[in-house]
Amino acid sequence: MEKTCFQIHGIPAILWGSGSNKVYLYIHGQAGRKEEAETFAHIGCHYGWQVLSIDLPEHGERKKDTNSFDPWHVVPELLSVMEYIKGRWTHISLFANSIGAWFSMLSFENEPLEKSLFVSPILDMNQLISDMMLRANVSETELERERSIPTASGQTLSWEYLLYARNHPITKWKVPTAILYGEHDELTDRTVVENFVQRFHCNLTIMKNGEHWFHTPEQLEVLNNWIETRLRE
C-alpha cells in the first residue's frame, strides 16, 4: 500500500493508497494520531478508496501545540483540509472516531460528503460536559467563576468550552451515516446515540459488552468486520 507523508497548510498528513477519485478523510479522536488510520486504509484501498489522515492539534507530530485541541481551533483547520480535498477528489467520505466525529459534524454539515462512518462518536458535547461536571461535583457557578477546573479523571472542565457546546448543538447532519457503538460506552449514553440515530436516520450497530475505546482483540475484530461491511455496501 502506497503511503505519502506531507502537509496540508502546515497540518501533518498521510495519504494512503494509489491514485483514485475516491477518498476517505480519517479524523482520529483524543489521544489518537494520523498513523492509526493504517488498518482502515488497508481495507479502504481494497475497495478502491484512498485514505487521507491528519494530526489534530496537540496530537501526533503536533504534541507540542498548546491549548488548541478545541473546536474554535479545529473547525477552521478541518474546513481548510476539506477545501484541499475538494480540489483533488470527486467522491469524498468521512471516517471519524469519538470527539473527531463531533469536530467533523461541526465542520462539515454543509459539505457534499457521500457517507460517514462514526466509531464511538461524541454526539452531544453539552451533555457530556454536564455529566463530567456532575461526576466531579462542580457546579456551573463554580466553573463560571474559575473558568477552568482540572478533574481527577485528567480532563479539565472549561467554561468557554461549555458555552461553545451549548451555542453549537448538532442540529443538521444530512450525510448518510453508520455508527458503531459499544454497549458500555462510558462517555456517550445509549439514549443519546439512539436519539441521534432516529433524528438523522443513521445505521446503528451496537457491540455487546463493547467500550468507548475499541482496543481488545475481540473489539478490533468487530470494528474491522464492521468497516469491511460498510465499505462493501
Side-chain angles (χ1 to χ4, degrees), residues 123-124 127 188-197:
L123 302 171
D124 187 339
Q127 182 64 53
T188 300
D189 190 81
R190 182 162 174 168
T191 58
V192 171
V193 175
E194 290 176 341
N195 288 340
F196 183 92
V197 165

Side-chain angles (χ1 to χ4, degrees), residues 2 4 7 13 20 45-46 58-59 68-69 90 98 100 141 204 211 226-227 232:
E2 294 183 25
T4 305
Q7 292 194 348
S20 172
C45 291
H46 178 75
E58 300 184 44
H59 291 74
S68 53
F69 189 60
T90 306
S98 189
T141 302
L204 175 62
E211 305 167 86
W226 177 80
I227 291 170
R232 199 167 49 231

